Amino acid sequence: MTDSVVQRDLEEGGGDEPGQHELNPDSTIWHVLATLNRQSLDSFQPTKAEKRFKGGNRVDCIDYFVKKYNRLDKKVQDIRNGATLFKPTSFGFVTFKHHLSAQLCAQSKIDSRPQGINVRLAMEPRDVLWSNLAASFRNRFTRSVAINLGVWTLILFWIFPTASFLFLTSLGELSERFTFLKPIVEQSALIQSLLQNILPIVFVTIFLALAPVIIVAISKQELPFSHSELESNVLRRYYHFLVFNVLFVFAIGSAILKSILELIQQRTNIFNLLAHALPSGSTFFVFYIVFNTSAHFLELVQVWAQLVIHLAATAKKFTRTPRALQRATVPWSFQYYYYYPQNILALVITLIYSIISPLILLAAVFFFGFALLVFKYQFAYCYIRKYESSGRYFRHVFQYTSDGLIIFQVTMIGILWLKEALVGGFFIVALLGFTIYFKIVCSDLFQSRTKYLP
């Protein structure tokens, strides 16, 4: 609005009462606007089409949004007043004065029927997925079976794209596929090393980064009660995915399907299979640990979060209101389902190849050393807690690291027997039995204690 319009309206005497336009020297532009007639301001108000797709007359934005707000507010009031019309769900929350009473109730059998009443400790409000609480037990069980089958089907069929990267590790096959690389590969030993050792790892790492996104989308259809339950399911499935598609596929090679069929027909071949296959992949996995060590610096910079998601989420097209902008700029929380499986896999690979290729121990020291520094900094200054996990994910860490120790011992048994060191192999067999016994005892001792966390 220009000063001439304001001055003209003041001179014309827009008010009905004398002295209406007498302003104090401390008056602001808002005081001046309040003294004007609305008719003099209508020409400056933004307008909006009354109907979105069919066109129609244009009305003032303030009138349009006030009418829309009143309509939506009336709907909210109708929903609140008609709460008794909604179908009751089979899920409810009970509060206690003392936490000991809640623990006793959660660990007691309330109903003699197998699925009559299931009692569990309640999650904190930030952790609850409220939209999933209305699902019935039959619906949830059916979805769980279908999703578990779907995830294992995904793990098995992911063999083909993962195994397709194996030809990059063979310079002969690579030169046959891409003839223009043959003179370049023959001239430079550095390029040979990069193509044979680094390029497959880069492609595999980028390709496997899509897996947690897919597994999260699939696991959400299981209708979990809470964010922690969702992340626990994804963590378990993503770890199995990594062990199968990284450790075994790249260790056994392109004959993975043939090896699986032979193993199904004769299960005792597992010692020979691991003894022949795993040592051949030692060079690949040493470079794999080194490459993932450098990836910690990308985590420190948070390239993906800041340059991709943050810029896209804060665009005006997606964040049209201050509340939407506030949700888009909330700091990230630590993704247990993504980081835990990758770091546990690195530890399992280090255990398996610690004897076969001791150089991997040095690479693992740098990997976990940088991981300690980076994640301590991220937890102190970057990450926020979406919910309190209460250390429940440590059960997965213990289970999967002990599984890696068992794979390491089975591999060593096969290697020693292939080298005709029968006595040493039988000692490892005794150690394998002790490891399995120790894992079972720890599960019995601490499973129930960690299930009912305060």
Side-chain angles (χ1 to χ4, degrees):
M1 180 183 298
T2 60
D3 295 338
S4 59
V5 175
V6 177
Q7 183 65 27
R8 183 171 65 253
D9 188 75
L10 290 173
E11 293 175 353
E12 290 176 356
D16 296 331
E17 298 178 2
Q20 183 180 357
H21 299 299
E22 295 179 2
L23 301 175
N24 297 324
D26 297 333
S27 299
T28 62
I29 183 64
W30 308 111
H31 293 88
V32 176
L33 292 175
T35 60
L36 301 179
N37 288 332
R38 179 174 176 177
Q39 290 76 11
S40 61
L41 300 175
D42 286 342
S43 58
F44 299 96
Q45 290 190 13
T47 59
K48 184 177 180 63
E50 193 171 6
K51 296 181 179 180
R52 185 172 184 179
F53 298 105
K54 298 181 180 180
N57 300 328
R58 300 188 67 86
V59 296
D60 295 338
C61 285
I62 185 64
D63 297 333
Y64 174 83
F65 286 114
V66 167
K67 187 183 297 184
K68 184 177 180 180
Y69 170 80
N70 292 332
R71 184 174 67 253
L72 296 176
D73 185 65
K74 186 177 183 302
K75 287 184 178 181
V76 172
Q77 294 295 332
D78 293 340
I79 292 175
R80 288 176 176 175
N81 295 332
T84 57
L85 301 178
F86 291 100
K87 183 180 178 180
T89 65
S90 59
F91 202 96
F93 291 90
V94 179
T95 58
F96 295 87
K97 291 184 177 180
H98 302 286
H99 66 91
L100 293 179
S101 302
Q103 290 285 343
L104 292 174
C105 183
Q107 300 179 41
S108 302
K109 298 296 182 182
I110 307 300
D111 198 329
S112 60
R113 295 172 297 174
Q115 292 295 335
I117 298 179
N118 291 328
V119 181
R120 55 184 293 178
L121 290 175
M123 302 76 67
E124 61 170 314
R126 294 181 301 172
D127 192 17
V128 179
L129 291 173
W130 299 96
S131 59
N132 296 343
L133 299 183
S136 62
F137 171 78
R138 181 179 300 176
N139 184 16
R140 201 183 304 277
F141 178 77
T142 305
R143 285 171 176 264
S144 177
V145 174
I147 287 169
N148 284 325
L149 292 176
V151 169
W152 279 107
T153 303
L154 175 68
I155 292 175
L156 293 177
F157 277 94
W158 207 275
I159 295 174
F160 300 101
T162 305
S164 63
F165 294 112
L166 289 173
F167 80 94
L168 294 176
T169 60
S170 176
L171 294 179
E173 295 182 6
L174 190 64
S175 301
E176 291 179 1
R177 295 283 186 91
F178 305 99
T179 55
F180 66 91
L181 291 176
K182 189 173 183 179
I184 301 175
V185 171
E186 293 177 352
Q187 292 178 1
S188 176
L190 178 61
I191 295 178
Q192 290 182 8
S193 178
L194 290 176
L195 291 177
Q196 193 169 5
N197 297 318
I198 304 300
L199 194 61
I201 299 173
V202 174
F203 279 115
V204 168
T205 304
I206 295 174
F207 194 64
L208 292 178
L210 301 175
V213 179
I214 299 174
I215 296 175
V216 167
I218 295 175
S219 299
K220 285 182 178 180
Q221 304 306 316
E222 200 173 4
L223 303 180
F225 290 127
S226 60
H227 292 284
S228 58
E229 183 179 352
L230 173 62
E231 290 204 36
S232 180
N233 295 336
V234 177
L235 189 153
R236 183 183 70 253
R237 292 161 181 164
Y238 185 44
Y239 173 75
H240 294 152
F241 179 91
L242 287 179
V243 168
F244 191 80
N245 283 279
V246 175
L247 184 60
F248 292 116
V249 171
F250 270 86
I252 298 175
S254 57
I256 176 69
L257 296 179
K258 182 180 177 180
S259 302
I260 292 175
L261 294 177
E262 292 178 354
L263 187 60
I264 293 174
Q265 294 174 0
Q266 191 175 1
R267 297 181 180 179
T268 56
N269 285 338
I270 186 172
F271 297 100
N272 294 330
L273 178 64
L274 294 178
H276 281 98
L278 290 181
S280 61
S282 59
T283 304
F284 171 81
F285 286 110
V286 169
F287 280 99
Y288 179 82
I289 298 296
V290 172
F291 179 80
N292 282 274
T293 302
S294 62
H296 289 323
F297 295 100
L298 297 179
E299 166 64 27
L300 188 63
V301 180
Q302 291 203 350
V303 177
W304 176 255
Q306 299 299 330
L307 298 184
V308 180
I309 296 181
H310 183 76
L311 292 179
T314 55
K316 292 184 178 180
K317 185 177 181 181
F318 302 103
T319 55
R320 299 181 179 180
T321 62
R323 186 177 297 176
L325 181 61
Q326 183 182 8
R327 287 197 300 265
T329 54
V330 170
W332 274 32
S333 60
F334 183 76
Q335 305 294 335
Y336 291 95
Y337 66 86
Y338 179 76
Y339 295 105
Y340 266 30
Q342 290 189 344
N343 288 273
I344 296 173
L345 177 66
L347 179 60
V348 171
I349 291 174
T350 304
L351 288 175
I352 294 174
Y353 288 96
S354 58
I355 305 298
I356 300 171
S357 179
L359 184 62
I360 200 171
L361 295 174
L362 181 61
V365 168
F366 284 101
F367 176 85
F368 290 106
F370 282 119
L372 179 63
L373 294 176
V374 169
F375 285 109
K376 283 184 68 176
Y377 178 85
Q378 297 294 83
F379 276 113
Y381 299 105
C382 297
Y383 289 134
I384 63 171
R385 291 187 179 182
K386 186 186 296 184
Y387 56 86
E388 292 292 339
S389 62
S390 301
R392 62 171 56 92
Y393 293 109
F394 182 76
R395 292 182 294 177
H396 297 289
V397 176
F398 175 79
Q399 177 184 353
Y400 298 147
T401 51
S402 58
D403 291 342
L405 186 60
I406 292 174
I407 296 174
F408 162 67
Q409 292 171 354
V410 171
T411 305
M412 290 307 302
I413 293 172
I415 293 175
L416 291 175
W417 284 355
L418 283 177
K419 295 182 178 295
E420 299 182 355
L422 299 180
V423 177
F426 281 112
F427 274 111
I428 302 296
V429 170
L431 183 61
L432 176 63
F434 176 77
T435 304
I436 296 175
Y437 173 76
F438 177 75
K439 180 180 179 180
I440 294 174
V441 169
C442 288
S443 298
D444 292 338
L445 290 177
F446 301 105
Q447 183 72 23
S448 59
R449 288 172 172 80
T450 56
K451 182 178 179 181
Y452 300 99
L453 294 172

